[in-house]
């Protein structure tokens, strides 16, 4: 590969979309005028309502980030004991279990979708299992029907880590309407961002009310506290940003789609490169562009990662290493490599290519050409 031109800017794996600053100013003026900065103010309420409408879900509770939302969701459902989850995710997924004194039980992933393999879940269920926490990895939906059948059979709760799945729809509408709760991330690196932020999607008002108590210290009126809650509230600034982002979201997802299509068409001819997804979504969000570098490719995944990096193209190995390989998890019985061979293999082949609104087509084509071997 050609050495990097020191005057050229590096390409990131992702870059957040920012609306024109001038469009944010009226909201900031309102916040300055009213001095309502947080604790469920008007922007917070409006964003919850607008997200319900846009996402096609019944109830949304905004959070400061998805990690606190995951921790709170487990509290709201009173999950304990063991929870079946995927080792192929960002570490926040299983950290939320540890923060609740729950033991993660890692189960292998499906080699096509890279999501929890439902055919392997039942064998991992014990008398201590209380829930399943799958991840819609890269926004590709899990096999929600198969997971629901298992959950019903064994009376387990299902908490979807839907951090990547903003706006994703499957055969029966929003993927967020499956399971007992779904958790979204609005982090800067996500399709829809509020700088930092997240949300829990609840199926009924009772659950939303419970979650809203939990994210506000358990406060119920001026003189009453009914739960050992946490502070998980989103501020008015973040909510105002979110409302502005929503105006652009369809356009942003369309831009991502065009980038994904360019990658797909250019990379399909490269020996040893396998594009992951998109699968049977009715509506995808193109939040990541993952490829697998197989043994047939002319160099290893890490060699490709390093050579792209050396010329300023920053890809990411999401998710390598597996969560189960980190020192705090590696001694769990389910962390043994032999327990999830597919996840282990795929985590050594995965590479996420740069995808974000505003990336130039010429850059995308250059990345493809470099991968092809130009
Ligand atoms: N569950 C799942 C499945 C998740 O993937 C995540 C988060 C969570 C739960 C928890 O969600 P939150 O609690 O964060 O809401 C990033 C993100 O920090 C993390 O949110 C995300 N998943 C994870 C997959 O990726 P890093 O360490 O890779 O981010 P970083 O800082 O290296 O950023 C990646 C690239 O993005 C940089 O090369 C440059 C660009 N960037 C990043 C930031 C933060 C910008 O251009 N501007 C920015 O402000 O973890």
């Amino acid at each position: 590969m050609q050495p990097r031109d020191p005057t050229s800017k590096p390409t990131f794996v992702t870059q957040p979309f920012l609306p024109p600053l001038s469009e944010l100013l009226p909201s900031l003026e309102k916040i300055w005028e009213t001095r309502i900065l947080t604790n469920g103010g008007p922007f917070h309420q409006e964003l919850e309502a607008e997200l319900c409408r846009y996402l096609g879900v019944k109830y949304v509770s905004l959070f400061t980030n998805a990690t606190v939302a995951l921790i709170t969701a487990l509290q709201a459902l009173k999950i304990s004991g063991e929870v079946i989850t995927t080792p192929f995710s960002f570490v926040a997924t299983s950290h939320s279990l540890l923060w609740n004194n729950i033991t993660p039980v890692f189960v292998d992933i499906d080699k096509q979708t890279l999501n929890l393999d439902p055919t392997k879940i039942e064998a991992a269920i014990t008398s201590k299992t209380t829930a399943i926490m799958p991840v819609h990895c890269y926004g590709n939906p899990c096999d929600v029907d198969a997971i629901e059948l298992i959950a019903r059979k064994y009376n387990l709760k299902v908490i979807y880590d839907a951090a990547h799945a903003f706006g994703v729809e499957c055969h029966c509408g929003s993927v967020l309407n499956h399971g007992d709760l779904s958790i979204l991330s609005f982090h800067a690196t996500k399709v829809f961002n509020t700088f930092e932020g997240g949300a829990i999607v609840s199926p009924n008002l009772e659950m939303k009310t419970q979650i809203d108590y939990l994210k506000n210290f358990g406060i119920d009126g001026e003189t009453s506290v009914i739960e050992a809650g946490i502070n998980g509230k989103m501020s008015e600034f973040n909510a105002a940003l979110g409302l502005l982002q929503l105006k652009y979201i369809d356009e942003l997802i369309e831009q991502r789609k065009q980038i994904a299509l360019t990658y797909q068409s250019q990379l399909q001819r490269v020996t040893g490169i396998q594009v992951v997804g998109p699968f049977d979504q009715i509506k995808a969000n193109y939040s990541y562009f993952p490829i697998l570098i197989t043994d047939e490719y002319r160099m290893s995944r890490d060699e490709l990662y390093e050579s792209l990096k050396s010329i300023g193209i920053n890809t990411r190995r999401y998710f390598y290493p597996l969560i189960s390989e980190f020192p705090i998890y590696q001694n769990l019985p389910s962390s043994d490599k032999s327990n999830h061979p597919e996840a282990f293999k795929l985590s050594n082949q995965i590479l996420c290519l740069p995808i974000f609104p505003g990336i130039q087509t010429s850059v995308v084509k250059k990345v493809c050409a470099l991968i092809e071997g130009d």
Side-chain angles (χ1 to χ4, degrees), residues 133-319:
M133 186 184 266
V135 178
H136 301 298
C137 199
Y138 312 127
N140 292 322
C142 293
D143 186 343
V144 288
D145 296 333
I147 291 170
E148 194 172 324
L149 278 178
I150 298 167
R152 276 211 205 129
K153 184 171 166 190
Y154 293 91
N155 195 23
L156 304 175
K157 300 284 185 200
V158 181
I159 303 107
Y160 279 106
D161 181 336
H164 305 170
F166 187 91
V168 170
E169 291 179 14
C170 55
H171 54 285
C172 46
S174 172
V175 78
L176 305 171
N177 286 326
H178 292 273
D180 293 276
L181 294 171
S182 290
I183 289 80
L184 287 159
S185 171
F186 306 150
H187 181 261
T189 54
K190 298 295 187 290
V191 166
F192 170 83
N193 89 78
T194 57
F195 286 17
E196 289 276 3
I200 302 183
V201 174
S202 305
N204 55 56
L205 184 58
E206 200 186 347
M207 185 50 71
K208 177 183 164 46
T209 308
Q210 169 72 357
I211 286 164
D212 288 348
Y213 282 134
L214 282 173
K215 77 171 191 187
N216 187 27
F217 312 98
I219 291 174
D220 179 25
E222 233 176 276
T223 55
S224 168
V225 172
I226 57 168
E227 295 278 358
I230 197 166
N231 183 356
K233 293 167 276 121
M234 178 182 275
S235 83
E236 286 294 274
F237 174 77
N238 301 94
L241 260 173
L243 283 165
L244 204 47
Q245 294 268 357
L246 257 193
K247 279 174 49 186
Y248 292 91
I249 192 68
D250 287 332
E251 194 184 320
L252 298 174
I253 292 176
E254 181 55 33
Q255 280 189 42
R256 287 177 173 275
K257 182 178 178 180
Q258 294 312 318
I259 299 158
L261 291 175
T262 307
Y263 273 133
Q264 267 160 24
S265 71
Q266 305 272 313
L267 292 176
Q268 65 188 6
R269 58 174 180 248
V270 183
T271 310
I273 299 292
Q274 210 178 300
V275 170
V276 180
F279 299 100
D280 63 350
Q281 299 98 312
I282 307 293
K283 193 176 160 205
N285 69 8
Y286 310 93
S287 50
Y288 295 84
F289 196 86
I291 58 171
L292 297 173
I293 319 300
T294 68
D295 291 343
E296 287 75 53
Y297 189 63
R298 61 193 169 84
M299 59 174 94
S300 72
R301 186 276 311 271
D302 288 347
E303 283 165 349
L304 178 61
Y305 166 83
E306 290 296 347
S307 67
L308 290 170
K309 193 173 169 189
S310 71
I311 54 169
I313 294 163
N314 294 292
T315 58
R316 268 304 171 75
R317 289 164 289 190
Y318 294 133
F319 291 99

